[in-house]
Amino acid sequence: NNKNKQDGKDNNKNKQDEKDNNKIKQKKGGDAKQNKSKNENNNKKGNNSNKKQDSKKSSPFAPLNPSVPPNQPQLTNDINYGRGEKLTVLHIGEKPSIAQAIAKGLSGSADVTQRGKTLPVHEFTHRGGSNAFPKAPNASSCRHRVTSVAGHVFSVDFPSQFQSWDSVDPAELFTAPVVKKPCKGSVVKHLQDEARGVDFIVLWMDCDREGENINFEVLDCCLHLMKHGGSNSNFDRVYRAYFSAINTSDIKKAYNALGKPDKNQALSVDARQELDLKVGVAFSRFQTRFFQGRYGDLDSAVLSYGPCQTPTLGFCVQRHVDIETFKPEPYWMLDLKVLKRGHSLHTTWGGGRSFSRSKVESLVTQCAESDSPVLRVTKVVTREKKQGRPIPLNTVALLKACSKALGIGPHQAMQTAERLYLSGYLSYPRTESSTYPKSFDIRGTLQQQSSDHRWGSYVQNLLANGHNKSRGGVDMGDHPPITPCRSSSGELSGDMARVYEFVVRHFIASVSQDAVWRSTRVDFELEPLKEKAQGKFSVSGKELVDPGFLAVLLHREYGNEGERIDGLREEEEDEEERAVPEFNEGEIIPLVQDKSRDGAGKVSVAPGAHCFASLGIKEKMTTPPSHLTESELIGLMEKHEIGTDASIATHIENIQKRNYVELGNNRRLVPAKLGLVLVQGYHQIDSDLVLPKVRSDIEGQCNKIAKGLADRDTVVKKAIEIFSDKFEFFVKSIDKMDILFGSSFAKLEDVGKPFTRCGKSRRYLQYIPGPPPRLYNKFTETVYPLPAGGIVKQWTGRKCTVPECDFELCLYSCGQPPRTFPLCPNCYNSSDWALDSSGTDDPVDKEDEHKEKQIQKMAGKHLVLECPLPDYHPLIEEMTVSPDPDSDGVLILDPHLGPKWRLVSTRNPTIVHLPKAIDKLTVMNKTDDVLGCHYMKIDFKAGESPLEGGELRHECCYPTDEIMQNVSRVYHGSDRLKASGRGRGRGGRGRGGRGGRGRGRGRR
């Protein structure tokens, strides 16, 4: 409702803006009528283009008439705003490092103060004039406050009533509302605190759709808190900076040309987020619940579906299917070899290949029986050809090049490029443009690299002789191509250094001269086969004349596999780099018959001869294609519009994390068994779920939203209708996929080993390590999820003491050093003993909360790094000997008992080591009236008792007993799964821990 109200306000604002614009135009004698007629003509053109799109029946979307107007020039504040006053401007960046760069770039000689740690705030003051703030030149002074967020402020999710995996039918999610939840409440509060009472807000988010979306997330937090209330007037004092690099010059340039945030681009992101959430969660919940409850060796905690992720997987599986179904066939070729002046040349047969051995053998026989078995040179062509310099680098080209040339995966490459951007070394790495804008300073960027020892001399020569213009490419209007922003003096290392070097070399190469090759091609013809036109052969080679850009670009081939070299025919692109000896047209070369058994065409050289040829037969087999490389997969995703330049790397990473594909040799993606079965199952039910067509259409509609040509709600509604129908059919047809799973995976009853007994059937439960870990009763077909994040062990037949439970107990160990707790599989999955319960008394709410936690356990979503049972559970209560002063938990006796007696905290990684002098320790039924914890009965070893007079037996309440407090040692460990260090003796400080307290804990 709040969102609808805000949308209403935005619409009212747009109407008010139009009225104000018209008034201003009338006052200035503007051309309102002419503008109106132009708009009408533009609308007609837009309608005509929409009509053309209507004719495309292949799209599942009905064409949409423009219902969201394109962005109109919005009114800004009066330039007299704040005349003679002291103003405050709040600058908000997307990350703290960007905020720091903005403050550095804008402060100039002003003193900058900083406060805060997580999201620092930089402040400085500029005195009056245009220096103070370009949008308020008449202010006496301007206080600039620069801070940031940490990415998205809000995340899209379902309301709490739709969170349960068990009680909510996944089909309901398609019509469920979505809400925006703060990613971190502290960020929202930070924005509100800093925005309260400011005069202007300048947004410095990344200049892409995600950045525009974050802009409006920020405004949702701050707009109403600006000075002079009323959201409409406040928005007139909101500006947006457009920049591509975070160096000082780009920041100042953006600061002096502030624009307005684009609501349409933000809405396109909202649409994509809602669609991905509803479609992905609905399918993922259903297929996870269905198959995890039937098969035990799926090797994945969640069987996820994604509108982009699944078509990405589909590309990999389709190539694998092509390989598996490929049937190799033999084929034969004429093998002509020419030996001239020590050069052995393998020629290419013009006839290609033949699948008939007898046909090729007959041609060889004909030559052997000929009266004139000679080879004639029919044509010799030598010419110089240019290899075009590379086009400027966009995101997709960078990811492909890093994978193919540097061996760095797309996800890692994108993270590395972002770190280089945030450090000021590269321009913004998310861009679709591949040509430099006219305003780009190529010479200045080259000069920054002229002192580098690796390519400095090359750059200096390039500057002296004049650099070239960039070749080809397109300008998408988002960001310029990826370029270096400053030189590196050896401070970079690892992948950052390698990616930076590649970008620099690519940029220099893109404005260098083309490489020049001397290409030679010689055509031959066998005289005996002249009439059948089967005797044509050729040999070709090339030599480098002028390396041009190749002198600086180390990798000659990478990225764009389909890119052609200028001036070369397709068959010439693979020319071998070699010298071809001199031939003359009409030259006759004698043919020496090969008498070897295998017909391999060996040449016999007679004394005094300088050129011979031999003819034989070469047999080969057709070969299947190889699995897709990451580079090839990126190309397919780009071609079919799966994902954006910002998300392609994430989708490839996800299918690897889900164990759907494995990364093989040469960075090839090989589908795993689970990925194969899922994709084949989708094809059995509905191929649209895995083919790229539907997702590509959705992406096209989101692009229309971003351009103001489609209504966000209409697009979302239509897409949801399509996927809702597909989901309904998918559920009805799930048995088709289940057949494939049944033939590929083992059912739960056939997996695992007997572990503990069920308290109801008295049958052994089978332990399935997962993921996720669980116990399974094959007689009742009941699954008992186990906590993830620790180790589960058997516990010698002990039974749960809860009435009517009677399940055999396990031991659960977690943390470093391990803390061990008793675990009842039945109670752990019961709503009566659930951890982190909200305490609600409503039985329906309590059951919903339990079912949600149960499904999360089943999906292995949350790690349990504490006692898996609540402190009020009888198993824990009967072992409790003290409250834990460092948490809300308690200290219990370690179930392992002696000889190393110790107490462990149920909610904190704390271990209390009791003295080694203890021989026996028993937790008594007696409890303390105030603290409620049990007394301990302790027997000490003879001669080692700390008691007065050397007494051997001692009964005590641990938290109030000074004797035991003084002889105990406290150790603070870690919740992490791997050890971070060991304590050093009494009161030792484990690396990563908080240190020990030594003797004594004090009283609670």
Side-chain angles (χ1 to χ4, degrees):
N1 291 333
N2 292 336
K3 179 182 181 302
N4 292 333
K5 292 178 181 178
Q6 184 62 43
D7 290 342
K9 292 179 180 179
D10 291 340
N11 292 333
N12 292 335
K13 184 191 179 311
N14 290 333
K15 294 177 181 178
Q16 184 64 38
D17 288 344
E18 291 178 5
K19 292 179 181 179
D20 293 340
N21 278 328
N22 290 333
K23 291 179 181 178
I24 292 174
K25 290 175 182 176
Q26 290 172 4
K27 288 179 181 180
K28 294 182 179 180
D31 300 328
K33 294 182 179 180
Q34 295 179 8
N35 290 335
K36 182 177 179 182
S37 63
K38 289 180 181 178
N39 290 336
E40 289 176 354
N41 292 333
N42 290 335
N43 289 335
K44 290 178 180 179
K45 293 179 181 178
N47 291 335
N48 291 334
S49 64
N50 286 330
K51 289 178 181 179
K52 293 179 181 179
Q53 293 174 357
D54 289 349
S55 62
K56 297 182 179 180
K57 297 181 180 180
S58 59
S59 172
F61 291 94
L64 298 168
N65 292 324
S67 55
V68 178
N71 288 345
Q72 299 293 332
Q74 297 171 340
L75 288 179
T76 61
N77 60 291
D78 189 347
I79 61 172
N80 291 315
Y81 178 88
R83 176 182 289 273
E85 298 179 4
K86 296 180 179 179
L87 304 181
T88 303
V89 178
L90 176 62
H91 302 262
I92 305 174
E94 191 167 325
K95 298 178 179 67
S97 57
I98 294 180
Q100 183 179 10
I102 294 169
K104 181 180 178 181
L106 298 182
S107 59
S109 59
D111 294 332
V112 181
T113 62
Q114 179 179 331
R115 54 184 169 85
K117 292 183 178 180
T118 305
L119 297 174
V121 181
H122 312 269
E123 292 185 286
F124 55 91
T125 300
H126 281 162
R127 299 303 170 189
S130 59
N131 243 359
F133 185 57
K135 301 300 181 181
N138 297 309
S140 62
S141 67
C142 185
R143 182 71 172 170
H144 292 269
R145 189 180 300 164
V146 186
T147 187
S148 74
V149 292
H152 275 283
V153 183
F154 298 97
S155 61
V156 178
D157 204 350
F158 293 109
S160 56
Q161 63 267 32
F162 293 93
Q163 289 290 335
S164 174
W165 281 45
D166 193 43
S167 60
V168 176
D169 185 347
E172 298 177 21
L173 299 178
F174 289 101
T175 56
V178 295
V179 295
K180 288 198 170 187
K181 298 180 179 179
C183 297
K184 285 186 178 180
S186 59
V187 175
V188 175
K189 184 178 184 302
H190 172 75
L191 291 173
Q192 293 173 339
D193 291 342
E194 299 303 328
R196 189 168 282 107
V198 301
D199 296 279
F200 292 90
I201 291 179
V202 181
L203 302 164
W204 293 80
M205 308 304 159
D206 291 343
C207 299
D208 55 15
R209 293 181 188 177
E210 293 291 336
E212 292 293 357
N213 191 259
I214 298 174
N215 281 336
F216 284 91
E217 291 178 355
V218 170
L219 292 180
D220 286 343
C221 300
C222 326
L223 193 61
H224 61 289
L225 297 172
M226 295 174 65
K227 190 176 180 180
H228 303 304
S231 59
N232 287 345
S233 61
N234 287 358
F235 189 75
D236 291 336
R237 287 177 281 113
V238 173
Y239 293 93
R240 201 260 198 265
Y242 292 92
F243 60 101
S244 297
I246 55 175
N247 52 45
T248 299
S249 61
D250 282 68
I251 287 173
K252 288 183 177 179
K253 183 178 178 181
Y255 178 67
N256 291 314
L258 297 175
K260 283 288 185 177
D262 188 340
K263 182 69 173 178
N264 289 333
Q265 291 196 43
L267 289 174
S268 72
V269 175
D270 287 339
R272 186 185 295 111
Q273 287 178 339
E274 182 174 345
L275 290 173
D276 289 349
L277 175 71
K278 290 184 173 182
V279 176
V281 173
F283 278 91
S284 297
R285 282 189 186 181
F286 173 75
Q287 63 188 27
T288 297
R289 290 177 56 198
F290 186 87
F291 292 113
Q292 284 286 10
R294 301 170 70 87
Y295 302 98
D297 56 343
L298 297 181
D299 195 29
S300 183
V302 178
L303 302 184
S304 63
Y305 175 90
C308 287
Q309 169 194 296
T310 303
T312 302
L313 173 62
F315 291 133
C316 300
V317 172
Q318 182 58 51
R319 176 59 65 87
H320 180 81
V321 172
D322 292 341
I323 295 171
E324 292 297 313
T325 57
F326 183 86
K327 294 182 179 179
E329 294 184 55
Y331 65 90
W332 293 266
M333 305 167 60
L334 287 180
D335 183 22
L336 179 69
K337 295 180 182 179
V338 178
L339 181 68
K340 186 170 186 179
R341 296 175 183 172
H343 293 275
S344 180
L345 305 175
H346 289 261
T347 62
T348 301
W349 182 31
R353 62 185 178 183
S354 174
F355 292 93
S356 171
R357 182 186 182 98
S358 59
K359 173 185 174 182
V360 178
E361 288 178 340
S362 66
L363 295 175
V364 174
T365 302
Q366 185 175 345
C367 289
E369 296 175 352
S370 172
D371 296 332
S372 58
V374 294
L375 185 69
R376 183 185 301 276
V377 178
T378 59
K379 189 177 182 181
V380 178
V381 177
T382 299
R383 58 179 176 174
E384 289 188 352
K385 299 175 182 178
K386 290 184 177 181
Q387 179 180 348
R389 58 200 177 278
I391 63 175
L393 198 64
N394 62 14
T395 303
V396 170
L398 174 66
L399 298 181
K400 294 167 74 174
C402 285
S403 176
K404 189 171 184 179
L406 304 182
I408 301 175
H411 186 69
Q412 179 65 25
M414 198 70 251
Q415 289 184 330
T416 303
E418 287 177 344
R419 288 199 298 270
L420 289 167
Y421 161 68
L422 295 175
S423 302
Y425 288 99
L426 296 184
S427 62
Y428 189 59
R430 300 183 187 274
T431 175
E432 296 179 15
S433 296
S434 55
T435 187
Y436 301 123
K438 294 180 180 179
S439 60
F440 183 73
D441 185 6
I442 295 177
R443 186 173 185 84
T445 307
L446 285 172
Q447 287 174 339
Q448 292 176 347
Q449 304 295 331
S450 60
S451 59
D452 193 288
H453 69 278
R454 292 166 289 184
W455 46 73
S457 59
Y458 180 92
V459 172
Q460 291 170 12
N461 291 333
L462 187 61
L463 290 170
N465 299 324
H467 63 78
N468 212 339
K469 294 182 179 180
S470 61
R471 179 179 70 92
V474 292
D475 185 359
M476 300 300 293
D478 51 353
H479 287 275
I482 305 168
T483 57
C485 294
R486 65 185 178 99
S487 62
S488 169
S489 303
E491 61 269 22
L492 298 176
S493 61
D495 286 347
M496 290 184 70
R498 298 173 65 210
V499 173
Y500 174 79
E501 179 178 350
F502 175 80
V503 173
V504 173
R505 289 184 180 275
H506 186 102
F507 164 71
I508 298 171
S510 69
V511 293
S512 296
Q513 300 301 319
D514 294 341
V516 179
W517 296 88
R518 180 179 295 111
S519 173
T520 302
R521 176 186 171 97
V522 182
D523 293 339
F524 304 95
E525 187 171 30
L526 277 172
E527 288 292 331
L529 303 180
K530 185 176 181 179
E531 294 181 359
K532 291 188 176 182
Q534 294 288 341
K536 296 183 182 297
F537 296 84
S538 65
V539 64
S540 60
K542 62 181 180 180
E543 297 176 274
L544 190 61
V545 177
D546 182 358
F549 73 91
L550 294 177
V552 69
L553 190 65
L554 299 181
H555 306 279
R556 297 188 181 184
E557 295 180 1
Y558 60 87
N560 298 326
E561 289 86 354
E563 186 178 343
R564 297 278 300 278
I565 299 174
D566 286 355
L568 296 184
R569 298 196 304 270
E570 184 175 356
E571 66 270 15
E572 294 174 334
E573 290 184 11
D574 296 328
E575 281 183 336
E576 183 179 348
E577 187 176 350
R578 63 180 177 181
V580 177
E582 183 179 351
F583 288 91
N584 299 312
E585 288 190 18
E587 183 178 346
I588 302 299
I589 303 172
L591 184 65
V592 177
Q593 298 302 319
D594 179 20
K595 303 300 182 182
S596 61
R597 184 176 59 181
D598 58 359
K602 297 179 180 179
V603 177
S604 301
V605 182
H610 66 279
C611 187
F612 284 92
S614 67
L615 182 65
I617 298 175
K618 182 182 293 184
E619 180 179 354
K620 288 188 175 182
M621 299 288 290
T622 56
T623 57
S626 301
H627 286 98
L628 289 176
T629 63
E630 290 170 325
S631 178
E632 292 169 338
L633 178 58
I634 292 170
L636 286 172
M637 295 175 70
E638 181 187 29
K639 176 182 177 181
H640 294 279
E641 298 181 343
I642 299 300
T644 64
D645 59 339
S647 63
I648 282 177
T650 302
H651 299 316
I652 297 176
E653 179 74 4
N654 283 341
I655 62 174
Q656 295 180 60
K657 284 184 176 179
R658 305 287 194 269
N659 293 324
Y660 294 163
V661 300
E662 299 172 352
L663 188 61
N665 296 332
N666 300 319
R667 306 204 69 84
R668 296 191 180 276
L669 297 168
V670 182
K673 182 168 61 173
L674 180 57
L676 285 169
V677 172
L678 280 173
V679 171
Q680 290 172 343
Y682 294 137
H683 279 298
Q684 289 282 337
I685 298 173
D686 182 357
S687 292
D688 282 347
L689 294 175
V690 70
L691 294 178
K693 183 68 173 69
V694 174
R695 179 62 194 190
S696 178
D697 289 333
I698 292 176
E699 202 65 42
Q701 296 299 312
C702 289
N703 291 337
K704 286 186 177 181
I705 297 174
K707 296 175 182 177
L709 301 176
D711 175 63
R712 177 233 185 238
D713 293 335
T714 305
V715 170
V716 171
K717 180 181 178 182
K718 183 63 178 178
I720 289 299
E721 289 175 356
I722 292 172
F723 275 102
S724 180
D725 293 341
K726 290 183 177 298
F727 179 79
E728 182 180 355
F729 183 74
F730 179 76
V731 172
K732 292 179 180 178
S733 309
I734 193 65
D735 288 343
K736 295 180 180 179
M737 183 181 281
D738 189 37
I739 294 174
L740 297 175
F741 269 82
S743 62
S744 302
F745 298 99
K747 292 190 175 181
L748 284 177
E749 58 265 27
D750 301 326
V751 179
K753 62 180 181 179
F755 202 67
T756 57
R757 285 186 183 273
C758 173
K760 300 174 182 178
S761 65
R762 302 309 302 160
R763 301 279 190 170
Y764 270 103
L765 303 175
Q766 292 174 280
Y767 175 61
I768 301 170
R774 54 206 188 274
L775 295 176
Y776 176 67
N777 189 329
K778 65 181 180 181
F779 301 97
T780 61
E781 296 187 354
T782 306
V783 178
Y784 298 92
L786 296 174
I791 299 174
V792 179
K793 298 180 180 179
Q794 295 167 305
W795 197 20
T796 62
R798 290 179 174 83
K799 296 181 180 179
C800 182
T801 57
V802 172
E804 300 181 2
C805 179
D806 210 30
F807 271 64
E808 283 188 357
L809 301 177
C810 311
L811 290 177
Y812 181 70
S813 299
C814 61
Q816 289 295 337
R819 295 159 18 247
T820 303
F821 308 99
L823 169 64
C824 172
N826 184 49
C827 294
Y828 175 69
N829 292 283
S830 169
S831 60
D832 295 331
W833 309 109
L835 287 176
D836 301 325
S837 176
S838 61
T840 178
D841 294 328
D842 190 321
V844 177
D845 291 343
K846 188 174 183 180
E847 183 65 18
D848 280 349
E849 181 182 359
H850 161 65
K851 288 181 177 179
E852 168 61 15
K853 295 182 184 301
Q854 183 76 358
I855 290 297
Q856 290 177 346
K857 293 173 186 176
M858 188 65 191
K861 279 190 171 183
H862 298 293
L863 300 180
V864 179
L865 302 176
E866 58 182 351
C867 178
L869 297 175
D871 295 342
Y872 56 86
H873 190 281
L875 289 173
I876 306 303
E877 193 278 333
E878 66 187 20
M879 302 176 72
T880 301
V881 296
S882 172
D884 180 7
D886 292 335
S887 69
D888 295 331
V890 296
L891 297 177
I892 67 171
L893 183 65
D894 189 313
H896 284 128
L897 305 178
K900 295 182 179 180
W901 303 92
R902 59 183 197 164
L903 310 178
V904 294
S905 171
T906 55
R907 308 297 159 214
N908 208 37
T910 300
I911 300 174
V912 180
H913 295 275
L914 300 178
K916 296 180 180 179
I918 296 178
D919 182 48
K920 182 179 179 182
L921 190 153
T922 305
V923 179
M924 305 173 63
N925 292 328
K926 179 182 178 182
T927 59
D928 183 87
D929 294 336
V930 177
L931 299 176
C933 54
H934 289 263
Y935 276 70
M936 296 189 299
K937 181 190 292 185
I938 303 173
D939 292 337
F940 290 97
K941 298 175 182 178
E944 300 181 26
S945 173
L947 303 177
E948 185 176 353
E951 293 186 13
L952 300 180
R953 178 161 294 183
H954 182 59
E955 290 185 6
C956 69
C957 178
Y958 182 80
T960 60
D961 189 278
E962 293 186 2
I963 296 176
M964 292 302 299
Q965 292 279 332
N966 289 331
V967 295
S968 300
R969 178 169 58 91
V970 180
Y971 184 92
H972 295 284
S974 171
D975 280 332
R976 286 179 287 187
L977 302 183
K978 293 184 178 180
S980 57
R982 297 181 61 185
R984 296 195 298 267
R986 185 174 299 171
R989 180 184 294 273
R991 288 189 293 174
R994 294 180 299 174
R997 295 185 174 204
R999 295 187 179 186
R1001 292 184 55 83
R1003 298 183 182 180
R1004 177 142 179 157

